Amino acid sequence: MADPMLHTLAPIAARIGDILLERRQTIAVADGATGGLILAGLLTRSGATRFCRGGGVVYSLRGRDILLGLPREELAGFESVTEDYARVQAEAIRANFHADWGIAESGAAGPEPHPRGAPAGRTCIAVSGPDGTVSTTVDTGLTDRIDNMGAFTQVALTFLRDTLENASTLAG
């Protein structure tokens, strides 16, 4: 039996896929507290291999080094679960995968606050594209880890869809 969450994400991912395919563009994903669900959501769209370059879960320093390829000194001063950190990740995953678009999520799924102090239920999402990078922060008010992972993923895909639909309004 399929995961009900994927059924919820599939219509959003279908719209994202339609936009990217129509424009002949690609995307790469840096999942954080979403644990791979953003990428999984995109892959619910038939033909995803034509627009999805791939990605991975940035959940450790080693994972960040491998996926993003950023020197640690370039990340000095950045804190997890901030829009600035999500923006750097979105730009790096886009560059490393030679994609037109990159999306990154950095959050605190809970039930405890993030070790750096962000409250459980906070996620920061960034989308980087040809015209620039945009970001948002959402607080769910939840402490349940699984509920937050699902909510973060839905917010991320919705933000991506909306960004793609309004791409001409991005500031460079």
Side-chain angles (χ1 to χ4, degrees), residues 27-31 53-56 58 66-70 86-99 101-104 126 128:
I27 189 161
V29 180
D31 274 288
R53 290 273 168 96
V58 178
I66 292 168
L67 282 172
L68 304 181
L70 296 171
R87 291 170 76 91
V88 166
Q89 290 186 88
E91 291 164 1
I93 200 78
R94 176 180 174 230
N96 280 356
F97 280 74
H98 305 283
W101 295 89
I103 182 171
S128 178

Side-chain angles (χ1 to χ4, degrees), residues 33 59 107-115 117-122 140-149 152:
Y59 211 74
E112 299 86 20
H114 187 275
R122 176 171 294 162
T140 66
L142 305 171
T143 57
D144 183 86
R145 186 173 188 82
I146 294 171
D147 288 346
N148 277 325
M149 290 174 73
F152 293 176

Side-chain angles (χ1 to χ4, degrees), residues 13-33:
R15 178 67 183 132
I16 292 165
D18 290 346
I19 293 168
L20 292 171
L21 288 169
E22 179 181 303
R23 295 178 186 170
R24 294 187 172 142
Q25 293 181 326
T26 58
I27 189 161
V29 180
D31 274 288

Side-chain angles (χ1 to χ4, degrees), residues 100-147:
D100 298 293
W101 295 89
I103 182 171
E105 182 276 336
S106 179
E112 299 86 20
H114 187 275
R116 298 284 190 170
R122 176 171 294 162
T123 183
C124 299
I125 301 154
V127 175
S128 178
D131 297 325
T133 303
V134 293
S135 57
T136 189
T137 298
V138 174
D139 286 294
T140 66
L142 305 171
T143 57
D144 183 86
R145 186 173 188 82
I146 294 171
D147 288 346

Side-chain angles (χ1 to χ4, degrees), residues 69-78 88 92:
L70 296 171
R72 293 208 179 170
E73 50 278 1
E74 192 171 327
L75 294 167
F78 284 95
V88 166

Side-chain angles (χ1 to χ4, degrees), residues 2 4 17 28 44-45 54 85 122 140 160 168:
T44 65
R45 168 62 161 79
Y85 186 65
R122 176 171 294 162
T140 66
L160 173 60
S168 63

